[in-house]
Amino acid sequence: MGRGRLSGGAEMKTLVTLILTIALLIPSSASAAKADKAAGTLLIHVKTLLDCSSDRTRLVPPLIAAALKKGHRVVLLFDADGVQSLKMGRWFGGHSTPLDRVKISRPDRQRLAALLGTTSDGTPDIYGSLLHFLKGKGVAVYVNKRALLRRGIDHDHFDHVAEAVEEERIVELLAG
């Protein structure tokens, strides 16, 4: 028994379909490779205080979440006046930071949840807790050790979600 053959026209259509399918798959693979190369490290350099009076407090977390969603490695560096965002205490010492005293609005939580792939209820409702949550998602958090000292914040009085680093490490972060 011989192999059944298609008519000349049907054979040609099958061949063209096969070639077109292969041609469509090759650019898709190349695009995926370019996307993998594009997903690098994003450094977010916080140089101003994040607290209840700053709109920046609401802008930084969605940027981090969007970068994580795109597959980027995120590095968050608190520097200059931004180190005050991590300062513990208030009038009577306390164990909270300015970020711990800012609630996340319901719409902002829903937006963050969508970016992070979680539920709104699974997303923290305070920015200080959100910082710890994001660190758990892989965000590297650093604080300029010298800036802490210049603001009078000693080793025991800042949120250790951030690792205090010297100038050499900061240069590496900024150059990378």
Side-chain angles (χ1 to χ4, degrees):
M1 293 211 122
R3 190 177 106 187
R5 297 188 58 90
L6 299 173
S7 68
E11 227 176 282
M12 185 59 111
K13 285 181 186 175
T14 305
L15 182 60
V16 169
T17 304
L18 180 64
I19 291 172
L20 285 175
T21 304
I22 291 171
L24 290 173
L25 289 176
I26 291 172
S28 299
S29 300
S31 318
K34 284 181 186 176
D36 287 343
K37 287 182 183 178
T41 300
L42 175 67
L43 171 70
I44 299 175
H45 196 180
V46 179
K47 298 185 282 184
T48 58
L49 174 65
L50 300 180
D51 66 358
C52 61
S53 64
S54 173
D55 285 339
R56 288 179 197 96
T57 306
R58 293 181 61 217
L59 298 175
V60 172
L63 179 63
I64 294 169
L68 289 173
K69 183 177 183 179
K70 292 283 186 183
H72 293 280
R73 178 177 177 265
V74 179
V75 175
L76 185 59
L77 172 63
F78 288 88
D79 199 3
D81 284 336
V83 301
Q84 294 180 54
S85 306
L86 301 173
K87 181 181 179 182
M88 292 290 221
R90 225 156 68 169
W91 298 292
F92 301 107
H95 296 292
S96 65
T97 67
L99 288 171
D100 292 326
R101 296 186 285 273
V102 184
K103 291 213 174 263
I104 303 173
S105 70
R106 190 78 172 149
D108 287 347
R109 279 179 71 199
Q110 290 171 338
R111 182 166 178 234
L112 284 166
L115 288 169
L116 293 167
T118 63
T119 64
S120 183
D121 292 333
T123 305
D125 60 350
I126 297 171
Y127 283 102
S129 299
L130 181 63
L131 186 57
H132 288 264
F133 181 79
L134 291 171
K135 184 171 183 171
K137 294 275 186 187
V139 175
V141 185
Y142 299 98
V143 62
N144 183 331
K145 193 173 192 176
R146 177 108 33 224
L148 284 171
L149 295 173
R150 293 192 56 82
R151 300 295 181 281
I153 306 170
D154 66 29
H155 186 268
D156 295 329
H157 291 95
F158 73 93
D159 188 344
H160 288 275
V161 69
E163 177 186 343
V165 292
E166 300 280 348
E167 288 84 3
E168 294 85 14
R169 181 68 176 125
I170 293 169
V171 169
E172 289 174 13
L173 293 170
L174 294 173

